[in-house]
Amino acid sequence: MAAEATPRINARYLESFTNSTVRILGRVTGLRGESATIDANGSVQVHLNRDAHLTLNNAVEIIGKVQPDLSVKVFQAMDFGSNIDLNAVEAVVDATHRYKEIFYTAD
């Protein structure tokens, strides 16, 4: 059984991946109860699970499902700290979609 593809996206691609599992890496800009806002080349609302422990202004990688309202339901969150090159992250996202046949199957 093959693992489900989890394409790397940013806020710009949310609408294209509704009801799909994705990876988003961005900086935590807001925390409120069981939700957070991250900046991933645009604002993304995420609904946290009990295992998610985010730190304001740190980078975080979210694996989750894009909801119809373009928020993301978190399955897993990993804190990447504050020393990350977000320009490099954007370059990876760009390459993922420019050469999508390598990374995921477009429906």
Side-chain angles (χ1 to χ4, degrees):
M1 181 172 145
E4 180 180 3
T6 53
R8 292 187 182 279
I9 70 167
N10 57 30
R12 185 173 73 202
Y13 293 101
L14 285 169
E15 194 168 347
S16 300
F17 288 90
T18 304
N19 295 317
S20 298
T21 301
V22 297
R23 291 176 185 260
I24 304 176
L25 203 151
R27 186 175 53 85
V28 179
T29 58
L31 292 169
R32 173 169 258 169
E34 294 181 0
S35 67
T37 305
I38 64 170
D39 180 10
N41 201 19
S43 184
V44 179
Q45 286 295 123
V46 296
H47 303 285
L48 305 172
N49 61 23
R50 293 178 191 245
D51 297 327
H53 302 288
L54 307 185
T55 302
L56 198 59
N57 295 317
N58 275 8
V60 62
E61 182 179 58
I62 302 290
I63 299 173
K65 186 173 185 177
V66 180
Q67 303 300 298
D69 66 357
L70 303 184
S71 65
V72 178
K73 180 180 178 184
V74 174
F75 299 149
Q76 184 177 6
M78 177 172 288
D79 189 310
F80 275 43
S82 59
N83 188 19
I84 188 162
D85 184 349
L86 293 174
N87 291 322
V89 170
E90 287 306 311
V92 171
V93 169
D94 181 55
T96 297
H97 299 282
R98 188 176 315 142
Y99 306 106
K100 60 186 164 195
E101 62 277 358
I102 296 171
F103 298 100
Y104 65 94
T105 305
D107 293 330

